[in-house]
Amino acid sequence: KLLNTLKSHNTLYPVVRFMLQTGVRTQEALALQWGDIDFDKKKVSIRRAFIKKIDFDDHGNKTTSKTVVGPTKSKSGTRTISVPDSLIVFLQEWRERAPAVSKAKTSDEDFVFGTVKGPSWTCDGFRSALNRYLKKSGSGIDRLRPHRLRHTVATKLSNQPGINAYHVMQLL
């Protein structure tokens, strides 16, 4: 239902589809660059994440906050994952279509997922846009925490024969 609702949204759908097919964290998906995708070997390397950098004054009051590229959440968060053929085909098509519907570019150093306003999302901007769109869509899904997509993937994986909690942990 979620993917059908988002299908017509040019910049939200690709991110959500990628997250549902890989189980990566939101900040990892949004920081993905084209050079992280090996189309021939059907692998995606998760090497970075968007993080929020907050500066404080001498009294402990927040002075500035900005999104920057940083490391993944943990050492094991830096990983290479195999992805299905269908996702590779989708990402190849997205690479061709993205510049026409967003400010995303397509060199290896460019972010995979852009917006109509800029070459990349922030985590807050993505969550806000997703929830605004879902609320207006009339789909009955009024709000979604994007991290729930990771939980959905974990549940789907754990329901597969021969997959135990340790396997799920290693994949995600």
Side-chain angles (χ1 to χ4, degrees):
K1 185 175 179 178
L2 176 64
L3 283 178
N4 285 336
T5 300
L6 294 174
K7 190 98 173 167
S8 63
H9 196 288
N10 287 324
T11 57
L12 291 172
Y13 176 80
V15 181
V16 172
R17 179 169 174 179
F18 180 79
M19 290 174 65
L20 280 171
Q21 289 195 263
T22 60
V24 300
R25 294 176 180 90
T26 307
Q27 59 270 33
E28 295 168 345
L30 299 178
L32 188 71
Q33 296 175 345
W34 287 112
D36 299 327
I37 303 168
D38 186 328
F39 290 97
D40 295 327
K41 292 182 181 174
K42 300 174 186 145
K43 295 190 180 290
V44 174
S45 294
I46 305 300
R47 300 180 176 135
R48 69 193 68 74
F50 279 134
I51 57 174
K52 196 174 272 191
K53 184 178 184 293
I54 302 172
D55 294 317
F56 298 92
D57 63 19
D58 294 338
H59 304 288
N61 300 312
K62 183 169 97 171
T63 56
T64 60
S65 172
K66 64 181 177 177
T67 299
V68 297
V69 175
T72 58
K73 185 177 177 182
S74 65
K75 191 175 181 179
S76 62
T78 301
R79 62 207 184 276
T80 299
I81 54 177
S82 296
V83 295
D85 292 346
S86 62
L87 184 57
I88 289 295
V89 170
F90 176 77
L91 289 169
Q92 288 169 325
E93 291 169 355
W94 172 244
R95 193 173 197 174
E96 292 174 17
R97 195 168 59 94
V101 297
S102 71
K103 296 218 174 176
K105 297 189 171 112
T106 60
S107 73
D108 283 354
E109 302 80 33
D110 292 318
F111 295 110
V112 173
F113 305 112
T115 74
V116 294
K117 295 180 181 178
S120 67
W121 288 97
T122 63
C123 293
D124 290 342
F126 175 74
R127 184 175 50 253
S128 295
L130 177 63
N131 285 315
R132 255 191 328 272
Y133 185 79
L134 289 173
K135 191 171 186 174
K136 287 180 186 177
S137 73
S139 66
I141 307 170
D142 289 342
R143 186 165 179 248
L144 175 72
R145 289 189 177 103
H147 191 73
R148 292 274 182 214
L149 301 175
R150 186 169 164 85
H151 293 260
T152 300
V153 172
T155 301
K156 285 171 49 177
L157 285 171
S158 66
N159 288 332
Q160 291 183 7
I163 300 286
N164 61 36
Y166 181 75
H167 290 121
V168 174
M169 185 181 76
Q170 293 300 109
L171 291 168
L172 298 181

